[in-house]
Structure formats: C-alpha cells, structure tokens
C-alpha cells in the first residue's frame, strides 16, 4: 500500500518537453510552444493568431484588474464579510430595461446537451435531438494542447458540415444528420492561462484563445448555416462580477467590428455559477444586454463557490455533497431569482445539469436514475426555466418530454412565467446555510471520486462516468473543497452515529483505504498504467493545503503542459 505521507510531499512534477522540426507561422510577439501538427497549423494561421494577439493586447490589463478584484473580494469574505447586492447598482436592478430580442434561431432551447469538444461526441451531440449542443472547452475538457487544438479542428469541421468520424473498432462511420442542434461554445474561465501560446512574453488568456480561434474560423459559416444571420453563440463560465461581463461584451464588440458584422450578432448565455454572481445577475445582463441570450444555473460550480466563498466561515460547513441539491433553500432561491431576473429582461433562464447518466447493465437502477432526472426537470420547468441541460443523449427524450408537456406549445416561458414572487428573495435566502449531516461515507466518496476524476483529467478526459454519475471539473471541485473545509475546521461527522472529527490522521487513513479500493475496482493493470498515484498526490495536497487554492485545475494544469520544442520551465 502506498503511504499517505508520500502524497504530502511537495509537487515535483516537471513540464514534459518534446522536440520537433516544424514550426508555425506566427505574427510579431507571438510564440507557439505546443506540438506542431499540419492540421493544427490550419487553425493557428498567422491571421488567426494576429486576431487572438489583438484581443490579448487590448484586454489583458482589464482581465488582470478583474482578477485583482476577485482577490480583494476574497479577502473581504475571508475577513468575515458576506457577498450581497451592490448598493451602487440598485438603479440597474430596479430599472426598466430589456435585453435585445432573442434571435429566432435560439428561441427554443428546451433541452441542451453538453459535452467536450471531442470529435465523435460532437457528432453525436449535434445529432442527438437536443435543441442546442454546448461544446465545452471548460468543465468537461482537460485543456491539453492536443484536446484544445483538436477541439478547434472538430468545431471548424462541424460548422462547415463536413465533420465525420470513423470508429475503426466498430467499423462505424459518424456523420451529421440533416437536422442538428444549434451550436454554443463554452470557452475556459478568465483565470486559466494557455501555456502553449505566448503573447509578448506572457502566456495567453485561455478563454481568448478558445473564443478567438473559434470566432475567427467560423463566424461567417455559422451565421449562414446555423444562426439565421446571428451568431456565433457562446456560454460564458465562472464569472463573479459584472465587470467581467463588461470585458466579454467589449471582446464581442471588437470581434464584430473586425468581422464587419452587426453589433449584437454574437449572443451568449452566462452561467451563474459563483456565489458572488447571484447578486450581480441584473448587472451582468445589463453589461451584455446587446449580446445576451440569458443566464444558466451552473449548480455544481455554484456549490463549489459556496464553500470557496465561505472558506473562512466555520459556521457554514456543508453537509455531505449528495445532500446539497436544488431543494436546499439557498439553491432553490438562486434558481427562482435567476428565472425572475431573466424573464424581467426578456431572455432565457436555463436550468442546470442533473448528474445522473444512463445505467446500461441494470434496468431497475436505470429507471430510478431516469426518474430522478425527470423529477429534477419537472421542478425546473414548473419553476419557469425555459430549458435544461442533459449530460448524455440517453436522457434527452425524458427531459424533452417533461419540458414539452409543461410548456403549452410555447418555445419558451420568457413572457408567461415572470415569477414576480421571487423578486422579494433576500440576501439571507440566497446565503441560507445548507441543511444535512456529514458522514464518513461522504468523506470517503469525495476522496474516491476526486482522485479518480483527477487521474482521468491528467490523462486527457475532462468528463467521466463514476458510480453512475457524470463527474467533471465542477463536481470534482466540490469534493476537493469540501474535504479541505472539513479538515480545516475538524468537522464532526455527525450523520452516521460515529461522531468522529475529521483530522489529518483520519484523512490519511481514508486516502490509503480509498486508494486500495480504487485499485480493486479498476484492476491492478489499469491502476498501474493510469495516473492514480499522481492524482492522489495532487488531490491530497490540495485538501490539506494551509491556504485553499482557488482552482484545482490551475494547479493540475502544470502537469499537462507539454512544451515543444525544448523550451523553458514552469509558468
Ligand atoms: C457541471 C457542468 O459543467 S455539466 C457540463 C459539462 N459536463 C459534460 O458536458 C458531461 C457530458 N457527458 C459526458 O461527457 C459523458 O456522457 C460521460 C463521460 C458522463 C459518460 O460517457 P460514456 O461513458 O462514454 O457514455 P456511454 O458509454 O453511455 O455513451 C454512449 C454513447 O453516447 C455518446 N455520448 C455520451 N455522452 C455524450 C454527450 N454528452 N454528447 C454526445 N454524445 C455522448 C457516446 O459518445 C457513445 O456514443 P456511441 O454509442 O456512438 O459510441
Ligand atoms: O457548468 C455548470 C456547472 O454546474 O458548474
Ligand atoms: Mg461549471
């Protein structure tokens, strides 16, 4: 058995380096340190890189400032402050303004499928019968150079309508149907660098690379074939404040001007998935009012953010992860207020992701999982959500049926479900402590899932099925910060009658036992070949760090950066 102590040693991964002959044709001030590939070079053209560099140069100081503001807010919360509505922007919350009308192309979004920008999954998602496919560079993607660049190639081919995939093992060819879902793209969050593209000596901002390359290559085709004159369409993740939405709005305006298309062509849905952002929903929509198609309840990151925001508030420890669902008062209040806010300003209020996925080998368990999804979707549509997310094509018929049966033939509920009752929700409603118990099994599950997810992420898979649930970066974050919080404050595991307090000794035993269990479950061979030990080390270090890291993936990213040709060290 590998001992717990070995996982507490400092992280000594080094960047992997490869060498090669070919190079990209780059504009002044741009350096590419990712592997050369002739396919990638059709994405990383000189003009496309110039476009990304222009975005980076114009917006980098604004992004740095916004990240500094996040740090200041964190200090306020760590000193006992609570997030709340900003008195300075009351006029926006109470004003009678509207977002630009929703384009016809995306009026009906009752079921949206999500998934990483992987070739076969893109085809399956576009063919799935969902109204929208959100192609993900974020929670569902491990942002290796290969994944990101292949993702751009795949999306270009998807927008061109030429994408195909040959599954050699099954001798099956995948192609697009005549009718496909509308494509939205989710770039990474503001905090993630792209360590393979340097601009003026600094790593580029990950989301500007994702957005810039996709927009550059696809805006014209997309508007012709998908957007009925609008587009491209985006999902924007992990914002905390409307100043971050203002940067996106300015990025969109710059891109529209560069492309010579009308202001308001690009449309985006913002995920409300941080606790501070729930107090900024009007302000975020206001900043993006020419470019908005609504808000979405990113419930998993939201739970993660609740813990992160209250990391210095031991009176707000979460119960077991499985107990923090949408029926908790603070979660229901967030969803209700989001619906009211979106519909007041004339845009979609999208629901979130149920974590259940189909269970192939057990019909009874499968039906039980489907029933949980149906229940979650029924709650969403009855509350007034205009649509929802599905993690897997097998869930789409059930989600579609629930929404269709409860929407009276309308494409959305924007004008029929105003939810005026939710306008009275207060800061206390939005912050109310979650109820429930903490258990040893909760600690074990967090550990088992967190390590297995990270092991997959380090080997290139950003979303995985674990114990019949979808796990991605957001759900793994909950496991990490919850363990950290319980350890930091010696939380009592009061739910299983044991009454033990979480401490380093207990956690050490849990890590060792869960690693042994993972090895049994996945088999010795896979365990040896996989990156479970590296993942365990990372996860353990993160859970036991004296100061909570802002993002698991920022730390883990250093392990998947592969510079080429032989080049300098860490970020
Ligand atoms: C918190 C958030 O941010 S949620 C949004 C981000 N997360 C996601 O997008 C997760 C999306 N879902 C997934 O990645 C996958 O469904 C997983 C990893 C959870 C499960 O994947 P698998 O184990 O491969 O599923 P399974 O084996 O049942 O797949 C069956 C078929 O459905 C396809 N499929 C599964 N999920 C998806 C999807 N989301 N989009 C498109 N196709 C999919 C598979 O490609 C496979 O196709 P095939 O039969 O042609 O080979
Ligand atoms: O991105 C979605 C979430 O729930 O997090
Ligand atoms: Mg998220």
């Amino acid at each position: 058995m590998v001992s717990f102590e070995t996982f507490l040693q400092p992280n000594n991964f080094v960047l992997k380096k490869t060498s090669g002959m070919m190079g990209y044709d780059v504009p002044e001030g741009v350096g590419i340190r990712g592997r050369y590939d002739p396919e990638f070079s059709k994405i990383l053209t000189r003009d496309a890189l110039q476009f990304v560099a222009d975005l980076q140069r114009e917006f980098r100081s604004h992004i740095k400032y916004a990240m500094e503001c996040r740090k200041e807010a964190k200090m306020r919360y760590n000193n006992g402050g609570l997030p709340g509505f900003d008195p300075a922007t009351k006029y926006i919350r109470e004003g009678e303004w509207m977002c630009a009308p929703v384009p016809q192309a995306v009026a009906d979004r009752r079921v949206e499928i999500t998934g990483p920008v992987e070739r076969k999954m893109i085809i399956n998602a576009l063919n799935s019968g969902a109204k929208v496919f959100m192609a993900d560079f974020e929670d569902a993607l491990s942002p290796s150079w290969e994944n990101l660049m292949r993702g751009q190639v795949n999306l270009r081919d998807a927008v061109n309508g030429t994408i195909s995939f040959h599954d050699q093992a099954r001798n099956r060819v995948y192609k697009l149907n005549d009718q496909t879902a509308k494509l939205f793209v989710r770039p990474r969050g503001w905090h993630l660098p792209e360590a393979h593209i340097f601009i003026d000596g600094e790593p580029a901002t990950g989301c500007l690379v994702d957005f810039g390359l996709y927009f550059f290559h696809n805006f014209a085709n997309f508007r012709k074939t998908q957007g009925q004159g609008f587009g491209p369409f985006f999902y924007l993740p992990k914002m905390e404040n409307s100043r971050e939405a203002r940067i996106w709005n300015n990025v969109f305006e710059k891109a529209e001007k560069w492309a010579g298309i009308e202001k308001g062509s690009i449309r985006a849905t913002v995920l409300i998935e941080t606790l501070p952002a729930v107090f900024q929903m009007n302000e975020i929509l206001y900043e993006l009012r020419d470019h908005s198609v609504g808000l979405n309840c990113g419930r998993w990151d939201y739970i993660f953010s609740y813990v992160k925001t209250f990391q210095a508030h031991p009176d707000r420890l979460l119960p077991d992860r499985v107990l923090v669902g949408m029926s908790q008062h603070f979660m229901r209040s967030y969803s209700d207020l989001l619906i009211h806010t979106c519909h007041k300003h004339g845009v979609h209020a999208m629901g979130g992701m149920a974590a259940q996925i189909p269970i192939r080998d057990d019909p009874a368990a499968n039906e039980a999982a489907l029933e949980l999804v149906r229940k979650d979707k029924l709650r969403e549509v009855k509350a007034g959500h205009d649509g929802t997310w599905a993690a897997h094509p097998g869930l789409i018929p059930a989600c579609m049926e629930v929404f269709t049966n409860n929407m009276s033939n309308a494409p959305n509920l924007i004008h029929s479900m105003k939810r005026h009752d939710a306008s009275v929700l207060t800061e206390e409603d939005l912050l109310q402590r979650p109820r429930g118990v903490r258990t040893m099994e909760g600690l074990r599950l967090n550990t088992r899932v967190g390590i297995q997810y990270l092991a997959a992420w380090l080997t290139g898979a950003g979303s995985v099925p674990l114990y019949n649930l979808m796990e991605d970066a957001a759900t793994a974050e909950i496991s990490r910060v919850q363990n950290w919080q319980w350890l930091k404050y010696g939380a009592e595991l009061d739910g299983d009658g044991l009454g033990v307090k979480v401490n380093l000794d207990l956690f050490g035993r849990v890590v060792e036992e869960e690693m042994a269990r993972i090895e049994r479950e996945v088999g010795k061979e896979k365990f040896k070949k996989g990156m479970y030990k590296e993942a365990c080390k990372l996860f353990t270090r993160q859970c036991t760090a004296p100061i909570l890291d802002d993002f698991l993936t920022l730390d883990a990213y250093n392990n998947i950066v592969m510079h080429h040709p032989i080049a300098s060290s860490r970020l």
Side-chain angles (χ1 to χ4, degrees), residues 139 186 271 273 298-301 389 474:
D139 285 336
R186 177 162 72 169
L271 286 133
E273 55 180 355
R299 62 173 77 165
W300 302 105
D301 267 313
W389 274 12

Side-chain angles (χ1 to χ4, degrees), residues 134 136 138-139 186 237-238 271 273 296-302 334 352-353 389 472 474-475:
M134 188 203 73
D136 203 5
E138 216 247 344
D139 285 336
R186 177 162 72 169
K238 292 188 175 55
L271 286 133
E273 55 180 355
N296 169 300
C297 279
R299 62 173 77 165
W300 302 105
D301 267 313
Y302 193 74
Y334 139 69
M353 182 71 89
W389 274 12
D472 69 5
T475 62

Side-chain angles (χ1 to χ4, degrees), residues 336-358:
D336 289 347
L337 189 59
L338 183 143
I339 295 163
H340 170 68
T341 308
C342 289
H343 290 181
K344 180 175 171 200
H345 302 301
V347 286
H348 291 91
M350 301 303 297
M353 182 71 89
Q356 290 77 21
I357 48 176

Side-chain angles (χ1 to χ4, degrees), residues 123-129 161 163 174-181:
I123 303 173
N124 279 340
L126 287 168
N127 287 343
S128 66
I163 190 168
Y174 292 72
K175 287 202 164 113
L176 291 180
N177 294 342
D178 291 340
Q179 191 135 24
T180 56

Side-chain angles (χ1 to χ4, degrees), residues 416-431:
S416 57
M417 285 288 275
K418 291 293 183 193
R419 290 303 307 269
H420 294 296
D421 58 307
S423 66
V424 298
L425 287 165
T426 61
E427 290 175 350
E428 289 81 69
D429 290 309
L430 294 161
L431 299 179

